[in-house]
Amino acid sequence: MKMFDTVTQKLRDSRKIVFVTGAGISQESGIPTFRGKDGHWRKHDPMKLASIDAFYDDPKLVWEWYEDRRKNILAAKPNEGHFAISEMEKFKDVVVLTQNIDGLHQRSGSTNVLELHGSIIRIKCTVCNFSDNITENFESLPPKCECGNMLRPDVVWFGEALPQDVWKNAMKEASTCDIMIIAGTSLVVSPANTLPVYAKQNGATLIEVNPEKTVMSNDMDLSIQATSANALLRIISILKNE
């Protein structure tokens, strides 16, 4: 297919590839998306549960939802799309900027991952500076910090700013890549949707991988309408067989 030949040639000539990934690549591992048809939980709208207001209105309900999600995520496995991205590290300088909170990129072997929206397997205190990975089930919800205040999932909720150190590094990586591959995301969430702008200002080639056209498709240099697993597996197989 000519499209893949073009993509492969650009990858071959590149030095640094930045991936921007979203819910679509995780959905291929069986993790539901917020906006998808299965994006409802006990008749609650996850778009409303994932907010600081919802947390303080009903912290137990929000924690129950996140515990359900965490169990599903820990039971999921990285798919061929994740593994294709980690495999590319053998050939190129690869950085992953992900909107996902599931840790599947790291579990597939990617070593340079910036989690724009945090991680579901980390917790932090609502008051003090405590943060840590979740290593066991909580006896009661919401869990309490040693300082006596509530703990919360270490994720970015709607209306909250991204961690500034992570976002600063993400902008730097986007501004210094030769190729940016946007995989499994329609990039409707700000400020992640500005990352292609930083890449383009550096003269990078923008490649979109998504089964459907998105609002960003017309701004791409190349748009591959396929799932991340199928498209990225094909690209890495071509690179490996050169």
Side-chain angles (χ1 to χ4, degrees), residues 2-201:
K2 190 175 179 183
M3 174 76 77
F4 282 96
D5 291 341
T6 305
V7 170
T8 306
Q9 184 60 52
K10 289 188 176 295
L11 290 172
R12 185 185 298 122
D13 296 339
S14 70
R15 179 187 59 82
K16 177 177 176 179
I17 304 166
V18 164
F19 285 89
V20 179
T21 66
I25 192 168
S26 292
Q27 188 177 28
E28 294 181 71
S29 289
I31 298 172
T33 66
F34 269 21
R35 295 173 178 82
K37 58 180 171 53
D38 46 2
H40 278 265
W41 178 81
R42 295 189 195 169
K43 300 183 180 177
H44 293 280
D45 181 358
M47 299 286 285
K48 294 177 181 173
L49 285 177
S51 72
I52 192 71
D53 289 340
F55 178 71
Y56 282 114
D57 284 346
D58 195 339
K60 186 172 186 291
L61 175 70
V62 171
W63 257 111
E64 285 172 349
W65 178 50
Y66 272 92
E67 284 295 88
D68 266 10
R69 290 185 69 198
R70 185 163 64 95
K71 287 171 188 169
N72 289 336
I73 282 168
L74 291 177
K77 291 181 170 46
N79 61 60
E80 290 173 325
H82 294 106
F83 286 116
I85 292 172
S86 64
E87 186 89 351
M88 283 190 202
E89 288 189 17
K90 296 177 181 176
F91 306 94
K92 302 289 177 181
D93 181 7
V94 174
V95 181
V96 181
L97 312 179
T98 187
Q99 300 169 88
N100 299 329
I101 61 173
D102 49 48
L104 289 177
H105 283 297
Q106 294 94 321
R107 284 165 57 190
S108 72
S110 287
T111 60
N112 197 350
V113 181
L114 291 176
E115 295 175 308
L116 302 177
H117 295 164
S119 169
I120 201 167
I121 59 172
R122 286 200 308 270
I123 46 173
K124 65 180 182 180
C125 183
T126 51
V127 177
C128 77
N129 292 323
F130 172 80
S131 66
D132 200 0
N133 287 335
I134 299 174
T135 56
E136 58 188 4
N137 293 326
F138 301 112
E139 291 182 7
S140 62
L141 298 175
K144 295 287 179 65
C145 180
E146 288 185 2
C147 74
N149 292 288
M150 281 191 297
L151 292 169
R152 55 165 282 182
D154 192 1
V155 298
V156 177
W157 281 325
F158 291 111
E160 292 186 315
L162 271 58
Q164 286 309 293
D165 55 338
V166 174
W167 179 242
K168 186 177 177 182
N169 286 333
M171 289 190 292
K172 177 184 171 186
E173 299 293 0
S175 300
T176 55
C177 66
D178 305 308
I179 291 179
M180 176 174 280
I181 299 178
I182 297 105
T185 175
S186 54
L187 282 182
V188 296
V189 176
S190 178
N193 58 5
T194 63
L195 290 170
V197 177
Y198 292 107
K200 204 63 185 170
Q201 287 172 343

